[in-house]
Amino acid sequence: MKTILKNEKLILRHEPGKGAWTYHLVVPGTKDIRGSWGEMKVSGTIDGYEFKDLNLAPVTNADKMISVNGTIRKAINKGGGDEVVVTMYKNSDNKVCSKDQLLDCFDDAGLLKEFKALPNDEQEEIINTILSQPNESRQEQKIVAAIKKLS
């Protein structure tokens, strides 16, 4: 897990009429974290209350946010405008980061020999396409497509 915040003081924001986002925290330093809704999960604590697998919501050209639901607010006894202390980690996404890891995937699928039989430029194209994906979910789609092609 990658640390995003460590004992950072943030203001619990309250914006009436925003549904699940009526109470939320803007998470500083997250503008450049890539991913779409549901792909960026975070865990940590808010005023000592542990939370797991909350969605880090993308905001166009701005820091991401997390919704702070009623269960959390009640447990910490805080509301809109109150200061909270937050520690937050981005959950590991198990993204394939190297050519060797990718070759292990093909080996696990029993298709390494078939992959290595491809012309070098085709191997490189497959590897580069998979490794350039922004998250585990998209990599998985490309790996499955490559495995189907090799089968």
Side-chain angles (χ1 to χ4, degrees), residues 19-58:
W21 298 101
T22 298
Y23 292 91
H24 63 274
L25 295 170
V26 174
V27 185
T30 58
K31 178 180 177 181
D32 294 326
I33 294 176
R34 299 184 63 158
S36 55
W37 175 257
E39 295 175 343
M40 300 176 291
K41 300 284 188 180
V42 293
S43 297
T45 61
I46 300 174
D47 277 0
Y49 180 87
E50 186 176 11
F51 64 88
K52 293 185 182 208
D53 297 321
L54 290 182
N55 283 307
L56 190 60

Side-chain angles (χ1 to χ4, degrees), residues 121-151:
D121 60 334
E122 196 171 340
Q123 287 181 35
E124 288 302 314
E125 182 181 340
I126 291 169
I127 289 167
N128 291 336
T129 297
I130 293 169
L131 294 181
S132 69
Q133 297 306 305
N135 55 55
E136 179 188 10
S137 176
R138 294 206 179 120
Q139 277 189 335
E140 186 178 291
Q141 291 170 358
K142 297 296 182 183
I143 290 169
V144 168
I147 287 172
K148 284 181 182 177
K149 181 179 178 181
L150 293 168
S151 302

Side-chain angles (χ1 to χ4, degrees), residues 82-98:
D82 290 338
E83 185 178 81
V84 294
V85 177
V86 181
T87 295
M88 186 180 300
Y89 306 92
K90 184 174 185 299
N91 297 357
S92 173
D93 60 7
N94 296 318
K95 187 177 171 188
V96 176
C97 299
S98 72

